[in-house]
Amino acid sequence: VLVKVKATGVCGAQLNQKKGIKIKKEFLPCLMGHEGSGIVEKIGPGVDKVKPGDKVVMHWRKSSGIDSEFPKYESQNGTVGSGLITTFSEFSIVSENRITRINSDLDFSFLSLFGCAITTGMGVVNNEINLEKKDSILIYGVGGVGLNIVIAAFLKQPKNIIAVDHSEVKLNKAKEFGANHLINTRKTPNIKNEIVKILGHYPKYNIETTGNIELIKNSYELLESGGTAVLVGQPK
């Protein structure tokens, strides 16, 4: 499917690729980006899920439709490789099963978030854990994915939602969307004492979104017996 890209998100995965993490030299040069939105320009043989003119979300997760071959782009400087979805370009050839048609008046910039940040955050809460009203959940990092974990958790109405970050702006946004306890790591270096002070015990669920090694260690160590840690962020 040829898509005219209207908006793209920038995921931590691409930031890691920029650092040389999660990408192999033999794949370079290559296009990047795995969450976006746009308008279908043309369709290839066998495609029946979308048609030209459709407003679509592009997403890394497979859905229905054809799983295409990996496209390649020819430039003046040679061949440029591509994944089955890329979004950092004006036009992109995207596999049919990485596209979903959307009937919505939402701005394209909002729609692009459904390609990764929203679905990843919602998926953690709805698919990986069993959050109940009596439970406490702690979220390390409330950026794009973490904030959506806060929103998904709030919909379950647990007893406590604790947001941990070094950005006061992100923490205030987490509070706006349902977190009832905030820990700023710049102001509170000893997270352990602060958690016990707030809860009187460790939380049942720790969700780590940053990929920070120390916070990953905390997510295991500061967990009640029988609790669950979910690692979303990926370190080197």
PDB file of all heavy atoms in Angstrom, residues 44-58:
ATOM      1  N   GLY A  44      -1.579  -2.208  -4.099  1.00  0.00           N
ATOM      2  CA  GLY A  44      -1.003  -3.230  -4.963  1.00  0.00           C
ATOM      3  C   GLY A  44      -1.931  -4.415  -5.134  1.00  0.00           C
ATOM      4  O   GLY A  44      -3.038  -4.456  -4.573  1.00  0.00           O
ATOM      5  N   PRO A  45      -1.502  -5.430  -5.897  1.00  0.00           N
ATOM      6  CA  PRO A  45      -2.323  -6.625  -6.177  1.00  0.00           C
ATOM      7  C   PRO A  45      -2.747  -7.346  -4.906  1.00  0.00           C
ATOM      8  O   PRO A  45      -1.934  -7.538  -3.988  1.00  0.00           O
ATOM      9  CB  PRO A  45      -1.379  -7.502  -7.002  1.00  0.00           C
ATOM     10  CG  PRO A  45      -0.354  -6.577  -7.555  1.00  0.00           C
ATOM     11  CD  PRO A  45      -0.177  -5.497  -6.544  1.00  0.00           C
ATOM     12  N   GLY A  46      -4.022  -7.712  -4.835  1.00  0.00           N
ATOM     13  CA  GLY A  46      -4.528  -8.511  -3.717  1.00  0.00           C
ATOM     14  C   GLY A  46      -4.977  -7.715  -2.517  1.00  0.00           C
ATOM     15  O   GLY A  46      -5.590  -8.262  -1.595  1.00  0.00           O
ATOM     16  N   VAL A  47      -4.691  -6.441  -2.470  1.00  0.00           N
ATOM     17  CA  VAL A  47      -5.080  -5.619  -1.318  1.00  0.00           C
ATOM     18  C   VAL A  47      -6.571  -5.287  -1.394  1.00  0.00           C
ATOM     19  O   VAL A  47      -7.034  -4.747  -2.406  1.00  0.00           O
ATOM     20  CB  VAL A  47      -4.252  -4.311  -1.259  1.00  0.00           C
ATOM     21  CG1 VAL A  47      -4.788  -3.385  -0.170  1.00  0.00           C
ATOM     22  CG2 VAL A  47      -2.782  -4.622  -1.024  1.00  0.00           C
ATOM     23  N   ASP A  48      -7.315  -5.630  -0.335  1.00  0.00           N
ATOM     24  CA  ASP A  48      -8.741  -5.301  -0.333  1.00  0.00           C
ATOM     25  C   ASP A  48      -9.198  -4.662   0.975  1.00  0.00           C
ATOM     26  O   ASP A  48     -10.380  -4.378   1.167  1.00  0.00           O
ATOM     27  CB  ASP A  48      -9.585  -6.552  -0.624  1.00  0.00           C
ATOM     28  CG  ASP A  48      -9.356  -7.670   0.377  1.00  0.00           C
ATOM     29  OD1 ASP A  48      -8.717  -7.411   1.427  1.00  0.00           O
ATOM     30  OD2 ASP A  48      -9.809  -8.801   0.121  1.00  0.00           O
ATOM     31  N   LYS A  49      -8.246  -4.422   1.884  1.00  0.00           N
ATOM     32  CA  LYS A  49      -8.570  -3.883   3.205  1.00  0.00           C
ATOM     33  C   LYS A  49      -8.739  -2.361   3.162  1.00  0.00           C
ATOM     34  O   LYS A  49      -9.490  -1.792   3.952  1.00  0.00           O
ATOM     35  CB  LYS A  49      -7.450  -4.281   4.160  1.00  0.00           C
ATOM     36  CG  LYS A  49      -7.616  -3.884   5.600  1.00  0.00           C
ATOM     37  CD  LYS A  49      -6.458  -4.454   6.403  1.00  0.00           C
ATOM     38  CE  LYS A  49      -6.415  -3.892   7.795  1.00  0.00           C
ATOM     39  NZ  LYS A  49      -5.278  -4.429   8.561  1.00  0.00           N
ATOM     40  N   VAL A  50      -8.008  -1.713   2.243  1.00  0.00           N
ATOM     41  CA  VAL A  50      -8.080  -0.264   2.110  1.00  0.00           C
ATOM     42  C   VAL A  50      -8.152   0.099   0.627  1.00  0.00           C
ATOM     43  O   VAL A  50      -7.850  -0.725  -0.238  1.00  0.00           O
ATOM     44  CB  VAL A  50      -6.844   0.430   2.742  1.00  0.00           C
ATOM     45  CG1 VAL A  50      -6.817   0.229   4.255  1.00  0.00           C
ATOM     46  CG2 VAL A  50      -5.539  -0.084   2.120  1.00  0.00           C
ATOM     47  N   LYS A  51      -8.534   1.356   0.378  1.00  0.00           N
ATOM     48  CA  LYS A  51      -8.600   1.847  -1.009  1.00  0.00           C
ATOM     49  C   LYS A  51      -8.031   3.269  -1.042  1.00  0.00           C
ATOM     50  O   LYS A  51      -7.929   3.925   0.011  1.00  0.00           O
ATOM     51  CB  LYS A  51     -10.035   1.819  -1.519  1.00  0.00           C
ATOM     52  CG  LYS A  51     -10.979   2.734  -0.778  1.00  0.00           C
ATOM     53  CD  LYS A  51     -12.401   2.589  -1.272  1.00  0.00           C
ATOM     54  CE  LYS A  51     -13.349   3.583  -0.624  1.00  0.00           C
ATOM     55  NZ  LYS A  51     -13.360   3.533   0.845  1.00  0.00           N
ATOM     56  N   PRO A  52      -7.652   3.759  -2.206  1.00  0.00           N
ATOM     57  CA  PRO A  52      -7.132   5.124  -2.300  1.00  0.00           C
ATOM     58  C   PRO A  52      -8.093   6.136  -1.689  1.00  0.00           C
ATOM     59  O   PRO A  52      -9.304   6.058  -1.880  1.00  0.00           O
ATOM     60  CB  PRO A  52      -6.980   5.331  -3.813  1.00  0.00           C
ATOM     61  CG  PRO A  52      -6.724   3.957  -4.342  1.00  0.00           C
ATOM     62  CD  PRO A  52      -7.571   3.042  -3.508  1.00  0.00           C
ATOM     63  N   GLY A  53      -7.527   7.060  -0.918  1.00  0.00           N
ATOM     64  CA  GLY A  53      -8.333   8.074  -0.245  1.00  0.00           C
ATOM     65  C   GLY A  53      -8.648   7.761   1.199  1.00  0.00           C
ATOM     66  O   GLY A  53      -9.079   8.639   1.957  1.00  0.00           O
ATOM     67  N   ASP A  54      -8.453   6.488   1.625  1.00  0.00           N
ATOM     68  CA  ASP A  54      -8.743   6.105   3.009  1.00  0.00           C
ATOM     69  C   ASP A  54      -7.756   6.758   3.977  1.00  0.00           C
ATOM     70  O   ASP A  54      -6.557   6.867   3.699  1.00  0.00           O
ATOM     71  CB  ASP A  54      -8.659   4.579   3.179  1.00  0.00           C
ATOM     72  CG  ASP A  54      -9.882   3.864   2.655  1.00  0.00           C
ATOM     73  OD1 ASP A  54     -10.884   4.542   2.357  1.00  0.00           O
ATOM     74  OD2 ASP A  54      -9.841   2.618   2.544  1.00  0.00           O
ATOM     75  N   LYS A  55      -8.275   7.168   5.122  1.00  0.00           N
ATOM     76  CA  LYS A  55      -7.461   7.684   6.222  1.00  0.00           C
ATOM     77  C   LYS A  55      -7.017   6.483   7.053  1.00  0.00           C
ATOM     78  O   LYS A  55      -7.856   5.654   7.446  1.00  0.00           O
ATOM     79  CB  LYS A  55      -8.323   8.637   7.059  1.00  0.00           C
ATOM     80  CG  LYS A  55      -7.603   9.489   8.072  1.00  0.00           C
ATOM     81  CD  LYS A  55      -8.620  10.455   8.696  1.00  0.00           C
ATOM     82  CE  LYS A  55      -7.949  11.430   9.635  1.00  0.00           C
ATOM     83  NZ  LYS A  55      -8.936  12.393  10.211  1.00  0.00           N
ATOM     84  N   VAL A  56      -5.712   6.351   7.302  1.00  0.00           N
ATOM     85  CA  VAL A  56      -5.217   5.128   7.946  1.00  0.00           C
ATOM     86  C   VAL A  56      -4.224   5.421   9.061  1.00  0.00           C
ATOM     87  O   VAL A  56      -3.557   6.465   9.080  1.00  0.00           O
ATOM     88  CB  VAL A  56      -4.537   4.188   6.916  1.00  0.00           C
ATOM     89  CG1 VAL A  56      -5.541   3.661   5.911  1.00  0.00           C
ATOM     90  CG2 VAL A  56      -3.382   4.885   6.207  1.00  0.00           C
ATOM     91  N   VAL A  57      -4.155   4.464   9.983  1.00  0.00           N
ATOM     92  CA  VAL A  57      -3.087   4.398  10.978  1.00  0.00           C
ATOM     93  C   VAL A  57      -2.104   3.333  10.518  1.00  0.00           C
ATOM     94  O   VAL A  57      -2.506   2.249  10.082  1.00  0.00           O
ATOM     95  CB  VAL A  57      -3.640   4.045  12.373  1.00  0.00           C
ATOM     96  CG1 VAL A  57      -2.512   3.681  13.326  1.00  0.00           C
ATOM     97  CG2 VAL A  57      -4.438   5.210  12.939  1.00  0.00           C
ATOM     98  N   MET A  58      -0.818   3.642  10.606  1.00  0.00           N
ATOM     99  CA  MET A  58       0.240   2.666  10.309  1.00  0.00           C
ATOM    100  C   MET A  58       0.836   2.204  11.633  1.00  0.00           C
ATOM    101  O   MET A  58       1.167   3.028  12.484  1.00  0.00           O
ATOM    102  CB  MET A  58       1.312   3.313   9.428  1.00  0.00           C
ATOM    103  CG  MET A  58       0.794   3.726   8.069  1.00  0.00           C
ATOM    104  SD  MET A  58       2.018   4.677   7.128  1.00  0.00           S
ATOM    105  CE  MET A  58       1.818   6.292   7.884  1.00  0.00           C
TER     106      MET A  58
END
